[in-house]
Amino acid sequence: MGQSQPFRATALIVEDDPTQREMISLLLEESEYDVIACESAEAAEMVLNKPGNRVVLLMTDVNLAGRMSGVELAHIARARHPHINIVVTSGRPLSQPLPGDAKFWAKPWAPLDVLREAEVTLERAPELQQRLGD
């Protein structure tokens, strides 16, 4: 019988600004997350489509490289992964509705906001682990 590895949550960061993407990634890695960073919604959608992914937190900007917006990505993520915690950010007012219980953060937001969201998501880890089939 093999020993079970501890559950390690994954965060998917979708931001076309490399400085912001790196900052968010570092904050979440320090919060015990594995991080997958993408600059487009299309790349992030491919991650979400992979079987067996452990993505529990999606943080996306509204305006991204590529044709799809972060809001569209949020709707796709919610439809395919109802358990995922979603945060959508923008420096402009939001003009499209978000999927149920997704959060909107107006830029600029504080690094502490990311750390708090990471903690809230990890508090749900036992529930998330069960939903992900571990």
Side-chain angles (χ1 to χ4, degrees):
M1 232 182 220
Q3 196 172 14
S4 165
Q5 299 235 345
F7 177 75
R8 188 156 165 101
T10 299
L12 178 57
I13 308 307
V14 192
E15 170 64 63
D16 59 352
D17 179 305
T19 303
Q20 287 220 4
R21 191 171 57 239
E22 182 67 20
M23 181 195 60
I24 297 166
S25 295
L26 288 171
L27 287 167
L28 290 169
E29 286 168 355
E30 289 177 11
S31 295
E32 306 287 324
Y33 278 83
D34 290 331
V35 175
I36 300 169
C38 302
E39 72 175 66
S40 73
E42 290 83 1
E45 184 180 16
M46 289 183 357
V47 172
L48 291 169
N49 286 339
K50 285 185 181 175
N53 75 57
R54 293 174 170 232
V55 175
V56 297
L57 174 60
L58 168 65
M59 292 190 70
T60 183
D61 192 13
V62 171
N63 298 309
L64 300 166
R67 291 187 216 143
M68 191 186 321
S69 75
V71 173
E72 292 169 293
L73 176 63
H75 282 279
I76 289 168
R78 174 63 71 228
R80 295 186 186 152
H81 303 280
H83 64 276
I84 199 169
N85 188 8
I86 300 172
V87 177
V88 177
T89 69
S90 181
R92 298 184 180 133
L94 194 60
S95 61
Q96 300 168 285
L98 293 175
D101 80 336
K103 298 174 185 94
F104 176 72
W105 291 357
K107 289 182 180 179
W109 38 262
L112 187 56
D113 295 329
V114 176
L115 296 173
R116 285 184 182 144
E117 197 64 35
E119 185 177 318
V120 165
T121 302
L122 283 181
E123 285 174 0
R124 295 178 48 220
E127 170 193 340
L128 296 171
Q129 185 174 0
Q130 186 176 32
R131 288 181 185 218
L132 291 171
D134 283 326

